[in-house]
Amino acid sequence: MRTLISNGTVISSDGGIAADVLVSGERIEAVIAPESDLALGLRSSADVVHVDAAGRYVVPGGIDVHTHMELPFGGTYASDTFETGTRAAAWGGTTTIIDFAVQRTGEDVRASLDEWFAKAEGRCAIDYGFHMILGGIDETCLKEMDSLVAEGITSFKLFMAYPGVLYSDDGAILRAMQQAHDNGALIMMHAENGIAIDVLASEAAARGQIAPVYHGVTRPSRLEGEATYRAIQLAVVAGAPVYFVHLSASEALAHVAAARNEGLNVFAETCPQYLYLNLEDHLGAPGFEGAGYVCSPPLRSKHESHHADLWQGLRTNDLSIVSTDHCPFCMKEQKELGLEDFRLIPNGLGLVEHRMDLIHQGVVAGEISLERWVETCSTTPARMFGLYPRKGAIAPGSDADIVIYDPSAKTRISAQTHHMNLDYSALEGWVLDGAVETVFSRGRAVIYGGAYHGSPGDGEYLKRGLSQCLI
Ligand code: URP
Ligand code: ZN
Ligand code: ZN
């Protein structure tokens, strides 16, 4: 059976056009001029399901390249499983995630990856791939990188933060980057100077400063800037590309922009929390409420220019992608682990369901164009992580991952109504302009009529190619 999505405006990273989209099985068969004989014939054909998208945008399904379903962290696990988290993603117009498998220090890379495959297999509502976190770089692990690349895991995250847990020192980082130079992988960097942060955090705790806000106070933006600069130098020495995850600070962005101006293969993503939330009002909320906003890097001060600079970075492409770093922990029994000490609050926010709406709100506010919305949330993620043009495009032959988006509807955010397995919302009560109406995942309508129509296991594992963004 074929489906024709007609009368909508197809938005791509090049612009918007009035076009009908013909879906056949799991793929897009054609993008057709709406008044053409072909379109008119298909609209009246009894063999074609007709979906009217008048007044709607028709956009490629969102790709969230930074999620942590079921991540073990601080003695607990991120509260979304692959089943609940990918279903929530679908509700929000995201049809692909790339999650992080984790090799902890001392563990075998292969065994760790197999653990993540087992967690995801048969459970996902949408397609998924993996990056690999390397938390213990040694000779065996470096060799494993090559075999993983050959198997479609072409990006590796390293941490300059979290000493004793996932931290890599400069030598280890350089070795991994050298290996990436040889095998074509992309190194993804969590850039915060964790050694210095641990000193500041211990000092604060010793002074009795244990409230959630001190998580942010002890992770100053300069220490993200410093680590970002250092990682860029290491990447240049190794001759490898580097991609900064969850960039939050003006200082870090300035180093990325300077490197890009030099023509280096340096890339960065930011996340909605760093565009909308801040240290004083959210992390510094009364009582223990701020725990719901603890993530690393932390939310930055509203008295500095981070928000404006990050929106600017999205306009100039110094920030090429918006991901969520979806890593939800419930307030009850999870965030509460840090009631007596901010250092014990599990780090992370749950936003996988809201990314497309939040960045569309940036269009409404005049921060970015509609084309840039699609580019940062779908097309560049596909290209950066070796999935284009199968994903990230509305074009003949691409997977029929399609979102019909109603710009005149409203999205009301609340823990009572969201679909993430999370007992609070960092955006409780927010009302956004625009709403996801219908979502196709590989040709199957999984969200329509205000309901979910998919099942666990609809999503397939994606073997990825090398990054298609390198110059
Ligand atoms: O707070 C965060 N970001 N939690 C997830 C782990 C990470 O560093 O991405
Ligand atoms: Zn990180
Ligand atoms: Zn993360």
Side-chain angles (χ1 to χ4, degrees):
M1 185 54 104
R2 297 192 292 174
T3 301
L4 186 73
I5 303 168
S6 59
N7 299 318
T9 305
V10 175
I11 313 287
S12 72
S13 50
D14 301 332
I17 52 160
D20 289 5
V21 179
L22 180 63
V23 173
S24 178
E26 298 194 346
R27 308 253 185 279
I28 295 170
E29 184 177 326
V31 179
I32 310 163
E35 298 310 326
S36 63
D37 289 346
L38 178 57
L40 297 176
L42 287 164
R43 282 184 208 189
S44 53
S45 164
D47 298 335
V48 175
V49 177
H50 186 204
V51 178
D52 186 8
R56 315 291 197 259
Y57 302 141
V58 179
V59 300
I63 302 178
D64 192 340
V65 300
H66 190 152
T67 67
H68 300 281
M69 306 306 172
E70 304 177 43
L71 177 79
F73 194 107
T76 185
Y77 286 83
S79 58
D80 263 321
T81 61
F82 280 90
E83 182 175 333
T84 62
T86 57
R87 193 167 56 221
W91 273 101
T94 286
T95 51
T96 300
I97 60 160
I98 310 183
D99 202 84
F100 287 86
V102 185
Q103 177 228 11
R104 281 159 294 221
T105 318
E107 289 178 356
D108 179 59
V109 175
R110 167 68 42 187
S112 309
L113 176 60
D114 287 346
E115 220 184 286
W116 257 262
F117 271 120
K119 288 194 222 198
E121 171 95 55
R123 298 202 170 81
C124 293
I126 54 169
D127 290 352
Y128 62 99
F130 288 119
H131 317 281
M132 187 86 216
I133 286 175
L134 299 178
I137 292 160
D138 58 17
E139 285 309 313
T140 324
C141 158
L142 291 168
K143 285 207 189 70
E144 281 287 358
M145 279 175 79
D146 296 352
S147 14
L148 263 56
V149 168
E151 290 172 43
I153 297 179
T154 53
S155 38
F156 297 87
K157 182 179 178 189
L158 309 180
F159 286 82
M160 302 169 94
Y162 307 129
V165 188
L166 292 165
Y167 173 80
S168 291
D169 66 20
D170 290 355
I173 290 169
L174 185 65
R175 285 295 290 113
M177 286 176 164
Q178 289 169 331
Q179 201 77 16
H181 164 86
D182 294 343
N183 64 27
L186 184 59
I187 296 294
M188 307 171 76
M189 191 59 73
H190 180 133
E192 285 187 292
N193 184 328
I195 302 282
I197 286 167
D198 271 10
V199 171
L200 297 176
S202 305
E203 287 172 352
R207 285 192 295 269
Q209 296 172 325
I210 53 158
V213 73
Y214 291 103
H215 171 81
V217 173
T218 58
R219 300 182 93 93
S221 55
R222 271 180 187 274
L223 293 184
E224 185 181 345
E226 181 276 329
T228 303
Y229 177 78
R230 186 158 34 102
I232 292 170
Q233 307 317 305
L234 293 168
V236 172
V237 169
V242 62
Y243 174 96
F244 291 96
V245 290
H246 48 46
L247 189 146
S248 74
S250 305
E251 293 91 329
L253 178 59
H255 290 305
V256 168
R260 290 177 60 78
N261 288 344
E262 279 184 58
L264 297 172
N265 275 316
V266 171
F267 307 96
E269 66 178 24
T270 191
C271 311
Q273 54 270 40
Y274 302 120
L275 294 163
Y276 286 103
L277 305 176
N278 66 64
L279 181 137
E280 292 81 6
D281 299 330
H282 301 103
L283 195 52
F288 192 61
E289 210 188 307
Y293 298 91
V294 166
C295 56
S296 295
L299 304 180
R300 299 301 181 190
S301 173
K302 67 178 178 184
H303 303 302
E304 296 165 354
S305 61
H306 305 287
H307 286 185
D309 292 346
L310 296 186
W311 282 114
Q312 164 83 351
L314 285 173
R315 287 191 289 275
T316 61
N317 202 36
D318 289 323
L319 294 170
S320 359
I321 289 178
V322 181
S323 69
T324 56
D325 192 7
H326 178 74
C327 192
F329 295 99
C330 291
M331 289 298 280
K332 192 117 201 76
E333 290 176 8
Q334 295 199 298
K335 293 285 186 182
E336 280 178 357
L337 291 167
L339 264 172
E340 304 299 327
D341 184 343
F342 69 86
R343 293 173 297 175
L344 302 179
I345 301 170
N347 287 199
L349 265 59
L351 288 173
V352 77
E353 191 170 342
H354 303 311
R355 182 184 62 124
M356 297 298 283
D357 289 318
L358 285 165
I359 304 310
H360 176 261
Q361 192 66 36
V363 176
V364 175
E367 295 285 3
I368 56 168
S369 64
L370 266 178
E371 292 81 0
R372 205 59 196 137
W373 173 49
V374 169
E375 194 165 38
T376 57
C377 291
S378 179
T379 308
T380 304
R383 286 166 47 76
M384 187 68 71
F385 293 101
L387 290 171
Y388 189 83
R390 176 171 175 192
K391 303 290 189 189
I394 294 201
S398 293
D399 280 359
D401 291 352
I402 300 170
V403 175
I404 301 180
Y405 197 83
D406 183 355
S408 62
K410 300 270 185 214
T411 296
R412 290 165 212 285
I413 300 181
S414 169
Q416 306 305 313
T417 49
H418 71 201
H419 302 88
M420 299 174 286
N421 184 33
L422 188 57
D423 65 359
Y424 76 102
S425 172
L427 310 174
E428 187 63 44
W430 288 31
V431 181
L432 303 176
D433 300 295
V436 170
E437 188 175 88
T438 302
V439 178
F440 292 87
S441 171
R442 263 185 298 103
R444 180 198 295 257
V446 290
I447 302 288
Y448 63 89
Y452 172 67
H453 298 272
S455 342
D458 285 346
E460 282 180 1
Y461 171 68
L462 297 167
K463 185 173 169 184
R464 298 182 292 112
L466 298 180
S467 177
Q468 297 155 295
C469 285
L470 307 190
I471 39 174

